[in-house]
Amino acid sequence: MSFVVAILFFLLPFAAFVLWRKRNPDGEPSTAVLIFAAVAVLAAVGFAAWYGLSRREAPGHYVAPHVQDGRIIPGHTEPVR
C-alpha cells in the first residue's frame, strides 16, 4: 500500500503541471505560484534534513540478511561485544 502512495506522491507534481498547462496554454506562472513552489521546495528540503539528522541508529554493528539452516535471517543490529 505504501508503494502506491509513494508513486501517487511522485506523480502529483506532474499532474498539477499538466492541469495548469491545459488551463493556461499560453500563460506563464504568476509570481504567487513561483513563491509557493519555492517555499514548498525549501520546506521539503528542510524536512528531509531534519529527518536525516534526527534519526538515531541502534548502538552496535549491522549484520546483513543471510541464510541459516535453510531460513532467511533478516538484517539486524547486534550489540558490540
Side-chain angles (χ1 to χ4, degrees), residues 5 16 20-21 25 29-30 36 49 58 75:
V5 172
W20 176 75
R21 287 306 284 172
S30 67
F36 177 74

Side-chain angles (χ1 to χ4, degrees), residues 6-43:
I7 293 295
L8 289 176
F9 277 134
F10 175 76
L11 293 176
L12 185 63
F14 300 105
F17 176 75
V18 168
L19 180 64
W20 176 75
R21 287 306 284 172
K22 285 190 180 279
R23 296 196 63 183
N24 295 323
D26 298 329
E28 292 190 15
S30 67
T31 305
V33 170
L34 292 176
I35 290 173
F36 177 74
V39 168
V41 168
L42 289 174

Side-chain angles (χ1 to χ4, degrees), residues 31-70:
T31 305
V33 170
L34 292 176
I35 290 173
F36 177 74
V39 168
V41 168
L42 289 174
V45 169
F47 177 75
W50 170 78
Y51 180 74
L53 293 173
S54 66
R55 287 192 44 118
R56 302 273 181 208
E57 292 187 19
H61 65 277
Y62 178 72
V63 178
H66 59 279
V67 177
Q68 183 177 17
D69 297 329

